[in-house]
């Protein structure tokens, strides 16, 4: 069974338990130095993680949700975004990383278990 953890990006890294750290928010978290998060992606490399924007909720979807969209419809729309070719390729690549060891999905939201990160974790587990 793959080991996928969900954590807030603001929580201090736990190197023994986190494994690969993957930021799953489209925007960089406010008030957080990139070096402190331990992720890399479309920014200068920082040891210990990734930032794959292809599997993050789109700007349009995030805005729709924050303007009063429902959680159920957010899930449907996000899953449709994850079915796009670029996201499918990134999901496949991340599944390979999950198979190699623990992966921690990082997000700035207050409750990662009730967020897009949980939906992503489900997709990576299958």
């Amino acid at each position: 069974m793959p080991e996928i953890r969900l954590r807030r990006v603001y929580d201090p890294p736990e190197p023994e338990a986190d494994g690969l750290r993957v930021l799953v928010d489209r925007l960089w978290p406010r008030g957080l130095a990139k070096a402190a998060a331990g992720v890399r992606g479309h920014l200068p490399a920082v040891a210990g993680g990734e930032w794959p924007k292809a599997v993050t909720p789109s700007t349009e979807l995030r805005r729709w949700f924050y303007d009063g969209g429902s959680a159920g419809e957010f899930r449907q729309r996000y899953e449709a975004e994850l079915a796009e070719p670029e996201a499918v390729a990134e999901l496949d690549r991340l599944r390979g990383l999950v198979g190699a060891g623990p992966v921690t999905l990082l997000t700035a939201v207050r409750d990662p278990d009730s967020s897009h990160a949980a939906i992503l974790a489900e997709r990576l587990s299958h």
Side-chain angles (χ1 to χ4, degrees), residues 25-38:
D25 291 341
R26 181 150 307 244
L27 301 176
W28 191 261
R30 287 184 175 167
L32 184 68
K34 290 179 174 132

Side-chain angles (χ1 to χ4, degrees), residues 50-79:
E50 300 204 4
W51 189 15
K53 290 186 179 183
V55 296
T56 66
S58 67
T59 299
E60 296 78 18
L61 180 55
R62 287 188 351 270
R63 287 182 182 155
W64 170 84
F65 183 69
Y66 291 121
D67 285 341
S70 71
E73 190 168 344
F74 174 88
R75 181 184 190 95
Q76 291 174 344
R77 291 180 181 202
Y78 182 44
E79 287 179 342

Side-chain angles (χ1 to χ4, degrees), residues 5-125:
R5 301 177 70 198
L6 302 178
R7 298 193 61 217
R8 292 196 73 214
V9 69
Y10 301 108
D11 295 338
E14 296 177 0
E16 294 80 30
D18 283 350
L20 179 67
R21 295 167 56 83
V22 180
L23 179 63
V24 295
D25 291 341
R26 181 150 307 244
L27 301 176
W28 191 261
R30 287 184 175 167
L32 184 68
K34 290 179 174 132
V39 300
R40 68 174 182 266
H42 305 290
L43 54 120
V46 176
E50 300 204 4
W51 189 15
K53 290 186 179 183
V55 296
T56 66
S58 67
T59 299
E60 296 78 18
L61 180 55
R62 287 188 351 270
R63 287 182 182 155
W64 170 84
F65 183 69
Y66 291 121
D67 285 341
S70 71
E73 190 168 344
F74 174 88
R75 181 184 190 95
Q76 291 174 344
R77 291 180 181 202
Y78 182 44
E79 287 179 342
E81 288 184 356
L82 292 175
E84 294 292 323
E86 185 180 0
V88 168
E90 189 63 33
L91 284 168
D92 288 343
R93 188 184 74 78
L94 289 171
R95 280 187 193 102
L97 297 173
V98 168
V103 170
T104 298
L105 303 181
L106 301 169
T107 181
V109 300
R110 288 188 177 99
D111 182 8
D113 293 325
S114 298
S115 74
H116 68 285
I119 297 168
L120 183 57
E122 288 175 20
R123 293 293 293 267
L124 290 173
S125 295

